[in-house]
C-alpha cells in the first residue's frame, strides 16, 4: 500500500513514527501537491489539505481508496468525482477546537476591553482613561454551531460564568451548552445575545444564512464574531449592520473574499476587526492531525474498530 502525503514540512519524528509502526506500507512525504502529483497514479491513500484537489487529480489517482483531509473545511473539494469513485474521505474535525476557542474568547475580551483603541493610543502617546470598559463575565453567549469547536467555545465561556446557548440544525443537547435550539428558532434567541460566535461550515443550508433582519434583531451592544466560513453573511449586509449601529462590533477571521483586498472597506471600518483566517493555527495542529490519521490508518489496515470523522461525500461534510 502506498501512502502519499502532500502536507508541507511534516516533522521528521512524525514520518519516522508512521514508517516504524506501519512498516507494511510505503510512505511518500512530498513538499506540496506540485511534487506529490507525480506519485498520485500509484497512491492508495492521500493526505492533503483538500483545497489542492480537482477532477484531474482524482482521475489521475486511479488506485485511490482513501483521502485524509488535514482540514475541517472542505468546500473546495471535487466531491462529485470522489463520490462516483466511492473513495473514502475523512478529516480532522475537532482538532481545531482548542486554538479556535482561545481565539474567540481572546477577541471578545479585546473588543470588550477596547484593545484596538488602547494600542492606537499607545502609538500616539495618548493617555486617555475615559474609555468605556465592559466585562464578558456573566454575559449571554450564543454560538452558531454545536460541534467540537463550538463546545470548546462554550466550555471556556463557562469559565466566565456565561449563559451559553447553541444553535444547530437538530437542536439536540450538547456538552457545555445550557440550552440548544434549532436554526428555525434562531430569531427568538438573537435578541438576547451579548455575543454571537459563528463556527458554521459552508453548506447549502448555511450559505448567507444570516441576513439583514438577523443583525437588526441583535442588541445594539452585541459583538458578532465569525470564524466558520465567510459566506455565512454577505459583506454589504454586515457593513450595513455595523454602520447602522445594529451591532457594536464585528470580528471577522473569515470573509467572502480571501485574501481580503487592500482596498476593502472592512480595513477602514472602526467597528470591524479583521484577522487573516488564522484562528485555527497552532503548533499542535499538524501533530494532532497526524495522530488522528495514525489512529484511522490502524483501523483502515486491520479492519478492526471504527474510523473517525468519515465524511458524507454526497453532502460534503
Amino acid at each position: 500500500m502506498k501512502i502519499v502525503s502532500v502536507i508541507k514540512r511534516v516533522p521528521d519524528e512524525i514520518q519516522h513514527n508512521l514508517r516504524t509502526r506501519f512498516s507494511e506500507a510505503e510512505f511518500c512525504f512530498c513538499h506540496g501537491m506540485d511534487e506529490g502529483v507525480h506519485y498520485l497514479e500509484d497512491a492508495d491513500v492521500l493526505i492533503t489539505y483538500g483545497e489542492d484537489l480537482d477532477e484531474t487529480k482524482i482521475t489521475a489517482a486511479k488506485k485511490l481508496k482513501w483521502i485524509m483531509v488535514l482540514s475541517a473545511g472542505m468546500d473546495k473539494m471535487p466531491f462529485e468525482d470522489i463520490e462516483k469513485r466511492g473513495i473514502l474521505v475523512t478529516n480532522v474535525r475537532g482538532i481545531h477546537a482548542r486554538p479556535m476557542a482561545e481565539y474567540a474568547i481572546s477577541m471578545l475580551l479585546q473588543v470588550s476591553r477596547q484593545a484596538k483603541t488602547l494600542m492606537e493610543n499607545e502609538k500616539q502617546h495618548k493617555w486617555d482613561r475615559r474609555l468605556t470598559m465592559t466585562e464578558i463575565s456573566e454575559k449571554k453567549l450564543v454560538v452558531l454551531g454545536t460541534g467540537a469547536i463550538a463546545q470548546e467555545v462554550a466550555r471556556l465561556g463557562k469559565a466566565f460564568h456565561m449563559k451559553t446557548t447553541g444553535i444547530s440544525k437538530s437542536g439536540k443537547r450538547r456538552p457545555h451548552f445550557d440550552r440548544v435550539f434549532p436554526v428555525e428558532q434562531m430569531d427568538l434567541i438573537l435578541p438576547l445575545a451579548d455575543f454571537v460566535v459563528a463556527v458554521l461550515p459552508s453548506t447549502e443550508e448555511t450559505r448567507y444564512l444570516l441576513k439583514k433582519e438577523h443583525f437588526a434583531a441583535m442588541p445594539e451592544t452585541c459583538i458578532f464574531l465569525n470564524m466558520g466560513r465567510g459566506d455565512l453573511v454577505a459583506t454589504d449586509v454586515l457593513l450595513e449592520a455595523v454602520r447602522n449601529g445594529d451591532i457594536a462590533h464585528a470580528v471577522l477571521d473569515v470573509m467572502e473574499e480571501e485574501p481580503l483586498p487592500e482596498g476593502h472597506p472592512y480595513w477602514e471600518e472602526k467597528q470591524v476587526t479583521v484577522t487573516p483566517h488564522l484562528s485555527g493555527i497552532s503548533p499542535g495542529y499538524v501533530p494532532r492531525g497526524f495522530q488522528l490519521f495514525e489512529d484511522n490508518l490502524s483501523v483502515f489496515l486491520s479492519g478492526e474498530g471504527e474510523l473517525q470523522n468519515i465524511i458524507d461525500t454526497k453532502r460534503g461534510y
Side-chain angles (χ1 to χ4, degrees):
M1 174 173 287
K2 188 163 189 174
I3 300 171
V4 176
S5 167
V6 293
I7 305 300
K8 295 180 179 180
R9 293 179 290 277
V10 177
D12 292 340
E13 181 180 0
I14 291 176
Q15 296 185 35
H16 175 74
N17 288 342
L18 286 170
R19 287 190 169 112
T20 300
R21 181 177 177 185
F22 304 102
S23 58
E24 70 272 35
E26 177 187 354
F27 287 89
C28 181
F29 291 94
C30 303
H31 190 67
M33 182 59 84
D34 288 345
E35 180 181 330
V37 70
H38 303 293
Y39 302 94
L40 288 181
E41 185 176 1
D42 297 319
D44 297 287
V45 179
L46 176 65
I47 310 172
T48 171
Y49 283 121
E51 59 190 19
D52 50 11
L53 282 177
D54 54 33
E55 181 182 356
T56 302
K57 294 182 179 68
I58 295 298
T59 301
K62 300 175 182 178
K63 299 180 180 179
L64 195 61
K65 302 178 184 68
W66 172 25
I67 301 173
M68 173 65 185
V69 185
L70 225 68
S71 173
M74 300 171 294
D75 42 296
K76 296 181 181 180
M77 287 179 60
F79 275 110
E80 184 175 345
D81 301 291
I82 293 170
E83 199 272 331
K84 287 178 182 177
R85 290 270 304 277
I87 299 171
L88 170 70
V89 179
T90 61
N91 74 350
V92 292
R93 182 177 62 245
I95 72 165
H96 306 77
R98 186 181 299 175
M100 290 184 71
E102 289 185 4
Y103 166 90
I105 296 299
S106 75
M107 298 310 292
L108 297 184
L109 281 167
Q110 286 187 54
V111 175
S112 298
R113 303 302 295 180
Q114 298 271 24
K116 284 179 72 172
T117 302
L118 288 172
M119 286 186 283
E120 186 59 34
N121 286 350
E122 183 184 27
K123 289 180 182 179
Q124 298 180 14
H125 301 184
K126 182 180 179 181
W127 184 275
D128 183 4
R129 301 185 71 239
R130 295 171 298 175
L131 295 177
T132 301
M133 297 289 180
T134 58
E135 300 176 2
I136 72 170
S137 296
E138 300 183 357
K139 296 294 179 66
K140 298 179 181 67
L141 171 65
V142 174
V143 186
L144 307 185
T146 58
I149 298 169
Q151 289 172 31
E152 183 66 5
V153 172
R155 189 186 72 83
L156 294 186
K158 282 297 183 183
F160 291 89
H161 308 288
M162 289 183 175
K163 182 73 174 178
T164 56
T165 300
I167 302 293
S168 70
K169 184 177 181 179
S170 68
K172 293 180 180 179
R173 291 295 301 268
R174 290 290 184 267
H176 310 301
F177 285 102
D178 295 311
R179 53 187 186 170
V180 178
F181 292 90
V183 174
E184 291 77 18
Q185 297 184 36
M186 181 169 62
D187 293 352
L188 303 176
I189 306 304
L190 292 179
L192 307 176
D194 294 304
F195 307 109
V196 175
V197 175
V199 291
L200 293 170
S202 179
T203 68
E204 290 297 326
E205 293 89 354
T206 63
R207 289 187 187 102
Y208 303 107
L209 174 67
L210 292 185
K211 299 179 173 55
K212 178 179 178 180
E213 55 267 28
H214 294 116
F215 289 98
M218 297 177 194
E220 61 183 17
T221 55
C222 185
I223 297 171
F224 171 74
L225 184 153
N226 188 11
M227 58 180 186
R229 281 294 179 263
D231 58 9
L232 177 69
V233 55
T235 298
D236 58 341
V237 170
L238 189 54
L239 282 173
E240 182 178 351
V242 170
R243 290 168 176 173
N244 288 349
D246 292 333
I247 59 174
H249 203 98
V251 179
L252 306 174
D253 190 50
V254 290
M255 304 111 220
E256 276 191 291
E257 186 179 2
E258 296 183 17
L260 197 65
E262 186 176 345
H264 198 282
Y266 279 161
W267 292 116
E268 300 299 326
E269 197 63 44
K270 184 178 180 181
Q271 304 299 46
V272 173
T273 296
V274 171
T275 59
H277 203 149
L278 46 60
S279 59
I281 292 179
S282 163
Y285 185 95
V286 169
R288 289 178 190 139
F290 272 94
Q291 181 59 60
L292 185 54
F293 169 70
E294 184 175 333
D295 294 341
N296 270 348
L297 182 58
S298 178
V299 175
F300 187 78
L301 291 175
S302 69
E304 299 178 359
E306 294 185 9
L307 292 167
Q308 302 178 62
N309 293 358
I310 295 177
I311 300 305
D312 184 339
T313 54
K314 291 183 179 180
R315 301 174 70 182
Y317 63 94

